[in-house]
Each structure stands twice: as C-alpha cells, then as structure tokens.
Amino acid sequence: METTISDFIVQDSETNPLENRKKIAYSYLRFLPMVFALGLSGCSVTGHGPHGGHTVSWYLHHQKAMRAQLAWCKNNAGRDKYSSCKNARKAEHEALGHNLKNTINSL
C-alpha cells in the first residue's frame, strides 16, 4: 500500500487533534511579526508637513500645496533636513527659474 501526505495528516489528526491544532496555530503565529511589520511600513516618516512625502514634480504641479509646505518647513529650522522640505524647496527654485526664463523670453 502506497502512503501519501494526506494519509499522514488524517492519521495525525486522528491520533492527536490537539497537537495538530497547536501546529497550525504556531504556523500562523510565525507570520504575525511579518504582518505587523508590513502594517507599520505604511507609517513612514516621509509625510512631514501638511503636504509632505511628495516629489519635486508633484510640488511643481501643486503650487499652492508647495507654498504651504514651504511655510511649514520655514517655521522650524530643524525641518530643513526632511525630504519633503528639500523637495518643496527644489520645486520652488525650479518654478522660479522657469518663470524667470519665460519672462526673459517674452521681452
């Protein structure tokens, strides 16, 4: 008679169902820290400020939000290190450069 994996599972559950439940519970508990870490990965610190966590391109397309972000960044000198403040500042410089170029070309 040939033995398969399902034969072992049936035999194991028939001999000791409590042990089988413990194994299943333990296998779920092993993955609990990974699920917890994945859940926290959405809570990163890139979202500093009222409109934080965006790229330079996003700030260029959302000038009002860029100005609000820059005001928040200027409110405290320690905020300059945040990537959202750096991106907003870079977008402001690019926008000013673009506006200056357009003004010169229109003369």
Side-chain angles (χ1 to χ4, degrees), residues 37-52:
L38 247 145
L40 286 180
S41 67
C43 304
S44 65
V45 293
T46 59
H48 286 105
H51 301 284

Side-chain angles (χ1 to χ4, degrees), residues 79-90:
R79 294 178 180 167
D80 289 344
K81 65 182 178 196
Y82 297 145
S83 62
S84 56
C85 293
K86 290 177 184 177
N87 288 344
R89 195 176 330 97
K90 187 173 180 183

Side-chain angles (χ1 to χ4, degrees), residues 1-51:
M1 178 177 175
E2 188 174 320
T3 308
T4 63
I5 293 175
S6 60
D7 293 334
F8 288 112
I9 294 171
V10 171
Q11 288 173 0
D12 190 28
S13 64
E14 287 174 355
T15 57
N16 195 348
L18 182 61
E19 192 65 34
N20 223 13
R21 288 184 193 152
K22 285 181 183 178
K23 287 179 184 178
I24 292 171
Y26 177 72
S27 66
Y28 282 117
L29 289 176
R30 285 188 331 188
F31 295 105
L32 191 60
M34 284 189 285
V35 171
F36 183 71
L38 247 145
L40 286 180
S41 67
C43 304
S44 65
V45 293
T46 59
H48 286 105
H51 301 284

